[in-house]
């Protein structure tokens, strides 16, 4: 079982830049199904203003998710998401959340790619460090 977040303006589609998203909808998914858990709603000034602090509540809201789907994400925000051991995935155009969940469930039923297997293990191994993947030479 893993948690996935979606940056959305309407709670239906992934259509929002991470930093400006009005909502982060969180679902739980495994190979047998998925269900909506909660939506974190963000009001106030969300436009692009270089205010990094607006990211803190979002990062806190999704701290236990494995993947976050976004329409776009800035470099520093992406770095902070990855540092929280969350895998950001960018969609090229607005995509319905349900379609993404259906596709992801199909992948989970088959042979998930290595990065997704790691995401699935996130709850079991919170201390996983990506540095472990890099072979130490000398």
């Amino acid at each position: 079982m893993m948690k996935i977040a979606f940056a959305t303006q309407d709670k239906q589609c992934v259509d929002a830049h991470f930093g400006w998203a009005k909502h982060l909808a969180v679902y739980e998914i495994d190979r047998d199904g998925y269900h909506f858990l909660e939506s974190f709603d963000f009001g106030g000034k969300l436009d692009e203003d270089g205010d990094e602090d607006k990211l803190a509540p979002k990062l806190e809201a999704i701290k236990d998710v494995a993947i976050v789907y976004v329409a776009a994400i800035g470099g520093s925000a992406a770095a902070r998401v990855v540092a929280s051991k969350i895998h950001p995935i960018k969609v090229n155009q607005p995509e319905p959340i349900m379609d993404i969940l259906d596709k992801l469930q199909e992948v989970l039923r088959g042979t998930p790619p290595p990065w997704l297997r790691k995401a699935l293990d996130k709850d079991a191994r919170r201390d996983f460090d990506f540095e472990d993947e890099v072979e130490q030479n000398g």
Side-chain angles (χ1 to χ4, degrees):
M1 193 59 82
M2 98 178 134
K3 289 184 183 175
I4 303 185
F6 299 93
T8 177
Q9 303 296 49
D10 62 4
K11 299 188 186 178
Q12 304 296 315
C13 291
V14 175
D15 61 357
H17 184 289
F18 181 73
W20 319 329
K22 286 188 182 137
H23 312 283
L24 286 168
V26 178
Y27 287 76
E28 204 163 49
I29 187 170
D30 64 16
R31 55 185 317 190
D32 300 318
Y34 53 81
H35 62 273
F36 175 76
L37 284 180
E38 61 190 313
S39 175
F40 295 96
D41 303 329
F42 300 92
K45 193 166 174 269
L46 295 170
D47 53 332
E48 188 169 16
D49 53 11
D51 178 10
E52 293 293 312
D53 285 338
K54 71 172 176 258
L55 296 175
K58 291 195 164 127
L59 291 164
E60 175 62 23
I62 64 167
K63 67 180 183 287
D64 59 348
V65 308
I67 301 171
V68 60
Y69 282 85
V70 299
I73 187 165
S76 63
R80 288 171 72 180
V81 166
V82 170
S84 301
K85 308 225 184 328
I86 299 166
H87 193 90
I89 296 181
K90 209 171 116 178
V91 298
N92 293 324
Q93 68 265 341
E95 192 168 346
I97 290 170
M98 293 303 151
D99 288 2
I100 293 171
L101 287 165
D102 287 339
K103 284 183 206 157
L104 194 53
Q105 194 178 3
E106 282 303 309
V107 172
L108 293 176
R109 285 186 182 136
T111 306
W115 71 266
L116 186 53
R117 286 199 298 273
K118 284 190 185 104
L120 277 165
D121 288 343
K122 179 176 178 175
D123 289 334
R125 298 195 336 243
R126 287 225 169 265
D127 57 348
F128 179 80
D129 190 343
F130 287 103
E131 313 294 70
D132 293 346
E133 287 188 351
V134 179
E135 286 196 24
Q136 303 299 324
N137 293 331

